[in-house]
Amino acid sequence: MADAAAIDPAVDVLAELAGDGPALEFAVGTGRIALPLSERGVPVRGIELSQAMVDRLRAKPGGETIDVAIGDMATTRVDATFSLVYLVFNTIGNLTTQRDQVQCFRNAAAHLRPGGRFVIEVGIPDLRRLPPGETLRVFDRTTDHLGVDEYDVVDQGLVSHHWTRLDGRWHLSSTPFRYVWPAELDLMAQLAGMALVERWGGWDRTPFTSESRSHVSVWELPD
């Protein structure tokens, strides 16, 4: 995800959507998207829960120009409004309850100027690939990494397990998520006073279809 091939198309779309206005990134992290977007001339601010992530952002060239509020993206407010709020690479799933995800949409709407856009990039759950009665799906398998998603189809839960070989030893890390469907996201946007204006299969604006494995969706706050 750090390659230019992954970053540049996202920044192209976000810079176009921001126009002449500023942008706010929820879960800005170490600045993978915020820094190149700022280099395009878009004023960028961020919200981030992890101080350690912000410290890594600050250590990068240009990192000092990104103003970051420490806090939860579902509730933390900054004293400004924006033409664009965005949330990339499945991060909406880090909010592990529907209530928190709805609150995230409301928080985005509260930061938008009239006519502003909220953008999310998120994967489509791989439930179609699960055999009946199974809960585990291998999504990556190499000599140094094994990735397995564990689904809870009752509560829309997903735990992503990663076995990674470092210095000849295997290490396990597991991260919980709440997967969410496009139609559910549209309803969350409606509850926050926004409406869908675009949905693509990726940052290259390919059409979103039943076979898409992810989507980039854009909602607008009415004027």
Side-chain angles (χ1 to χ4, degrees):
M1 296 306 297
D3 292 343
I7 294 173
D8 289 348
V11 173
D12 288 342
V13 171
L14 294 171
E16 179 183 326
L17 292 173
D20 295 331
L24 174 65
E25 180 172 354
F26 284 177
V28 67
T30 63
R32 182 181 70 93
I33 298 297
L35 287 172
L37 184 59
S38 177
E39 290 171 1
R40 298 282 187 94
V42 178
V44 181
R45 296 178 69 174
I47 294 174
E48 173 56 51
L49 186 63
S50 169
Q51 181 64 57
M53 288 280 197
V54 177
D55 290 343
R56 291 179 62 185
L57 166 64
R58 292 280 179 260
K60 295 180 178 180
E64 72 283 351
T65 67
I66 310 295
D67 183 27
V68 180
I70 299 297
D72 188 332
M73 62 185 175
T75 58
T76 301
R77 299 287 177 89
V78 300
D79 187 19
T81 57
F82 302 84
S83 61
L84 174 70
V85 178
Y86 65 95
L87 180 58
V88 298
F89 197 54
N90 299 326
T91 310
I92 187 66
N94 289 347
L95 299 171
T96 55
T97 69
Q98 185 184 70
R99 179 178 180 178
D100 285 345
Q101 290 176 347
V102 168
Q103 187 58 43
C104 180
F105 271 76
R106 287 176 170 153
N107 198 28
H111 284 100
L112 285 175
R113 298 171 178 175
R117 306 289 180 88
F118 180 40
V119 179
I120 282 183
E121 174 195 18
V122 64
I124 302 294
D126 269 343
L127 297 187
R128 290 172 57 191
R129 291 169 169 79
L130 282 180
E134 296 293 327
T135 61
L136 302 175
R137 169 164 168 74
V138 176
F139 64 86
D140 187 51
R141 182 172 56 194
T142 68
T143 57
D144 294 316
H145 178 257
L146 175 65
V148 179
D149 281 340
E150 180 179 6
Y151 286 90
D152 175 357
V153 297
V154 173
D155 294 322
Q156 291 185 214
L158 184 157
V159 180
S160 190
H161 303 285
H162 297 263
W163 286 266
T164 306
R165 184 163 59 182
L166 299 171
D167 299 324
R169 299 184 63 183
W170 287 92
H171 302 265
L172 171 64
S173 63
S174 299
T175 306
F177 297 94
R178 180 183 187 270
Y179 65 82
V180 60
W181 302 101
E184 188 180 6
L185 292 171
D186 290 343
L187 183 57
M188 292 179 186
Q190 182 179 338
L191 292 171
M194 298 181 288
L196 182 72
V197 292
E198 298 282 1
R199 174 164 289 135
W200 306 297
W203 292 108
D204 58 359
R205 305 189 195 221
T206 54
F208 177 74
T209 72
S210 61
E211 299 304 315
S212 297
R213 304 316 316 142
S214 64
H215 64 98
V216 174
S217 295
V218 185
W219 299 273
E220 183 178 77
L221 187 71
D223 290 327

